[in-house]
Amino acid sequence: MRLTTIGTGTASPSPARVNAGHLVEAGAVRLLVDCGRGVVHRMATLGIDWFGITHLALTHFHPDHTLDLTTLFYAWKYGTLPQRTAPLQCIGPPGTAAVLARFAELYGGAMSAPSWPLEVTELPRGAGLDLDGGTRLDTLAVPHCEESVAYSIQRGGRRIVYTGDTGESESLGEWAHGCDVLLAECSLPDAMAIPAHLTPARCAALAARAAPGRLALTHFYTVVEREDIRGAIAPQYGGPVTLTWDGWDIELEEH
Ligand SMILES: [Zn+2]
Ligand SMILES: [Zn+2]
C-alpha cells in the first residue's frame, strides 16, 4: 500500500502547497481522498497517473477539499483522448450526491454527463465498506463541520488513517490506535487555536493516544509553518514524525 500526499496546504495560499488531496494505492484500488484546488495540476507535476484513479473519497465539502472535482472530471472527459470510460466510485458522507449535483448544475459538461459510469456511495458517518480486492475503508465522524469524517484504509495488515479536517477528538485517537501511518491535519499555531482544527500540541496529544507507526502532518496554514512543530510533538510522541509536502510518499509493505 502506498500513500502520496499530493496537496498539503489549506485556504491560506502557499507558494509551495496546493489544497488538500492524497492518493492511496492499494492493490487495484487507486483512491484519491479529497480534491482541493490545485490537486489535479499537482498530480500532473508529480507524474501521478491521474487518469487511472478508480475511487474518490471526500472527507467533507469545504472548497479546499472539493474545488478541483470539476477540474478532474473535465480532465477525464475533455483533457485527453480517448475519454475516460472506466467506472468511478465516489464515496463521501451524506450530502455528497447533492454536492455533485450542484457542481453539475453550475458547470454541466463532464459534471452532468461524465463519459464513464459514476457510482456515488454516501456512507453514514461511522460506516465503512469493502473496496475491490481486499481493501477496507472505514469512517469516523470528526468535529469540524456537520458532515466531516476521518478515513481508515486497510489492506494486507497495514492501515492508514487520515484525519481530514478535525478539531480535538479523543475518540479519533482511540479509533486510529496502532495504525501504520496517521496523516493528521496540523492547521494552526497553538496561540491561534480554534475548535475546528488541530494545532501542534493537539497533534501531539492525538499521536500520544493513537501511537501510530509514523505521524505524518499535513494541512498547514502558512502561520503554523513558523512554529517549532517537532518540538511540540516530541514530549508526547517519540515515533517518527514527517511534516509532509506536496509529493511526499511512503510505501507500506503488506504482510
Ligand atoms: Zn474544512
Ligand atoms: Zn481544509
Side-chain angles (χ1 to χ4, degrees), residues 26-237:
V29 170
R30 301 187 75 252
L31 166 69
L32 180 66
V33 187
D34 286 337
C35 194
R37 186 208 54 76
V39 164
V40 174
H41 285 78
R42 183 66 88 210
M43 286 194 284
T45 307
L46 294 169
I48 288 171
D49 173 20
W50 53 268
F51 195 73
I53 287 166
T54 60
H55 296 73
L56 278 175
L58 302 177
T59 58
H60 63 300
F61 308 140
H62 283 162
D64 58 317
H65 297 253
T66 58
L67 262 188
D68 246 10
L69 283 172
T70 301
T71 312
L72 185 56
F73 275 44
Y74 266 68
W76 280 334
K77 183 164 181 177
Y78 303 118
T80 186
L81 285 173
Q83 296 174 326
R84 181 187 181 114
T85 54
L88 179 85
Q89 185 173 16
C90 183
I91 300 156
T96 297
V99 168
L100 291 175
R102 283 181 166 189
F103 275 124
E105 201 180 323
L106 186 59
Y107 292 114
M111 291 307 295
S112 57
S115 53
W116 61 91
L118 173 64
E119 180 188 351
V120 180
T121 305
E122 294 192 345
L123 287 179
R125 300 204 300 171
L129 85 165
D130 292 318
L131 306 179
D132 312 338
T135 300
R136 174 76 189 176
L137 178 145
D138 286 287
T139 68
L140 178 79
V142 289
H144 175 69
C145 62
E146 191 188 341
E147 72 277 4
S148 51
V149 293
Y151 282 111
S152 159
I153 298 125
Q154 280 177 274
R155 181 183 162 85
R158 296 297 196 169
R159 183 174 179 224
I160 294 165
V161 171
Y162 169 43
T163 64
D165 285 5
T166 185
E168 285 180 289
S169 165
E170 287 190 5
S171 57
L172 174 58
E174 283 156 20
W175 184 72
H177 189 265
C179 67
D180 294 282
V181 177
L182 174 58
L183 179 61
E185 73 122 289
C186 184
S187 293
L188 294 167
D190 286 283
M192 296 174 66
I194 58 170
H197 283 297
L198 296 180
T199 63
R202 290 174 180 177
C203 289
L206 176 67
R209 193 172 291 271
R214 173 177 299 273
L215 176 65
L217 299 177
T218 185
H219 202 270
F220 302 107
Y221 280 74
T222 51
V223 282
V224 81
E225 299 202 62
R226 297 197 283 268
E227 300 288 305
D228 178 12
I229 296 174
R230 290 178 185 280
I233 304 288
Q236 293 198 63
Y237 172 74

Side-chain angles (χ1 to χ4, degrees), residues 15-29:
R17 304 178 187 278
V18 301
N19 287 180
H22 310 291
L23 183 69
V24 176
E25 294 165 281
V29 170

